[in-house]
Amino acid sequence: MDSTTAERRYRAFLAAAQLRHPWQFRCPGQSDEHDGVQVDVPPGWYGVLESLFQEVEAVMPVAERDGFRWRRLCARHAMLEVAFDGLRDPVSPRVVEARERAAVTCDVCGHPGARREVAGRYAVNCHRHFIQRLLRCHPEGESGARIWWDTPQPALGGRSPAAYMEAGPPSEVLIEQALRLAMPPVPWLDASNRQRLQGAWPVLDEALGERLRSLRVAAFEPPSGRGGTLIAMMAGHADPSAQAAAVTRLARNGFSDLRLRLVGQADLASPAVAADPWACMLALEASVSVPRAQPDQSFLVR
């Protein structure tokens, strides 16, 4: 969708919402035409917001409507952010439900999707639009992606990715091929960087315990100011609840420039359907091992 079409669609969506539910957008003391509500969500989430507006219309008592208005309805880091003024009890549960719907709704087409990373950025996408995001990272740019898209591939039974996609929903094989194409170069570690990264071992040992099996680093470019991605390989499946504590420990010990990703070793067998396909493929294709070291742990910040 080009920018002109996207802008036209956005304006049509917002105008229709304000026409159907004017009191939800009215600013106290301002005319009805005053636009004081910040609305910035991708097209795939328009349906989520339309449902939210209808639900609030149904539950908000007429006597309380003068004090209500939306203040912010925005996408932040692929999550729906909502702020409003007015009576909270009938509205807050509907906002929670809308956030949960957005978290599993493709932000491009509105079909079921998942929140996934591509090159450090998150979006909620169906498989089809996840592949499109991956192709934008093709090392040879748009032309390289187009050539691959139209070239028969042995792994796809001699069909091109375009023909394969037309035949049905994207398969794991197609998603994994697109993931491999999008991978950054394998980083190179000099002695000083290797020694520094070894210091992450005792920090993560403290946070993750005996389930931590190995560490790898990807997209590592210190001269450019980018710290890179640190991948902690975990026994079995990764426990997302363990990540927050580990990130905090890393930051306190001087590793705030590294994005930590936990990858269960079981996920590596099928990266396309793992919770974090990008990190799985980084671990398999575009990362280097960080050797274990045993520095004096008395200096660690806990």
Side-chain angles (χ1 to χ4, degrees):
M1 184 186 303
D2 61 55
S3 59
T4 301
T5 302
E7 179 67 17
R8 188 180 300 117
R9 183 176 174 187
Y10 166 76
R11 290 185 179 278
F13 156 71
L14 192 56
Q18 292 172 331
L19 184 63
R20 293 190 190 103
H21 316 286
W23 62 270
Q24 297 187 28
F25 294 85
R26 186 179 298 122
C27 299
Q30 302 284 350
S31 67
D32 289 350
E33 290 76 23
H34 181 80
D35 184 11
V37 181
Q38 182 183 1
V39 181
D40 183 13
V41 299
W45 288 2
Y46 290 171
V48 173
L49 291 191
E50 287 168 355
S51 296
L52 175 60
F53 300 154
Q54 292 171 9
E55 291 164 5
V56 171
E57 187 85 28
V59 301
M60 180 65 74
V62 174
E64 300 289 344
R65 292 185 176 184
D66 284 346
F68 179 90
R69 80 173 181 100
W70 300 110
R71 287 195 293 112
R72 187 167 60 256
L73 299 152
C74 297
R76 293 286 183 269
H77 306 297
M79 294 180 285
L80 180 61
E81 180 182 290
V82 179
F84 62 91
D85 295 325
L87 192 64
R88 308 198 72 79
D89 288 347
V91 177
S92 293
R94 276 73 192 179
V95 169
V96 171
E97 292 168 2
R99 287 173 174 155
E100 292 173 348
R101 287 196 297 270
V104 293
T105 300
C106 177
D107 62 19
V108 179
C109 65
H111 291 148
R115 183 176 182 266
R116 291 176 286 203
E117 178 189 359
V118 172
R121 295 190 178 185
Y122 283 92
V124 183
N125 292 133
C126 63
H127 289 336
R128 183 180 298 268
H129 288 109
F130 179 50
I131 289 174
Q132 288 186 5
R133 287 176 63 208
L134 291 169
L135 291 184
R136 288 196 285 272
C137 295
H138 194 288
E140 297 175 12
E142 184 179 348
S143 62
R146 190 182 303 113
I147 291 171
W148 176 79
W149 189 245
D150 294 327
T151 301
Q153 305 291 328
L156 302 179
R159 287 178 289 178
S160 69
Y164 197 82
M165 183 85 84
E166 285 296 321
S171 69
E172 291 181 32
V173 174
L174 183 58
I175 294 170
E176 288 183 13
Q177 282 201 354
L179 276 164
R180 285 190 173 91
L181 284 174
M183 286 294 102
V186 176
W188 177 81
L189 302 182
D190 62 19
S192 61
N193 284 321
R194 185 179 297 274
Q195 185 175 23
R196 178 188 176 237
L197 290 171
Q198 285 178 319
W201 265 105
V203 179
L204 292 179
D205 274 333
E206 287 269 328
L208 302 174
E210 61 184 16
R211 292 189 59 210
L212 178 63
R213 290 292 183 265
S214 63
L215 289 181
R216 303 189 67 84
V217 64
F220 189 71
E221 301 177 15
S224 69
R226 293 173 51 191
T229 297
L230 190 63
I231 307 168
M233 309 296 292
M234 308 291 291
H237 291 281
D239 179 6
S241 64
Q243 179 151 339
V247 168
T248 299
R249 286 184 182 273
L250 283 173
R252 288 176 176 172
N253 285 276
F255 295 99
S256 59
D257 58 319
L258 298 175
R259 297 180 298 275
L260 177 67
R261 299 290 179 263
L262 306 186
V263 171
Q265 290 181 321
D267 291 334
L268 298 180
S270 299
V273 295
D276 190 347
W278 182 261
C280 284
M281 195 57 71
L282 285 177
L284 289 170
E285 299 282 333
S287 60
V288 293
S289 178
V290 177
R292 181 183 284 272
Q294 298 293 337
D296 183 354
Q297 297 189 25
S298 65
F299 294 102
L300 296 181
V301 179
R302 292 178 169 80

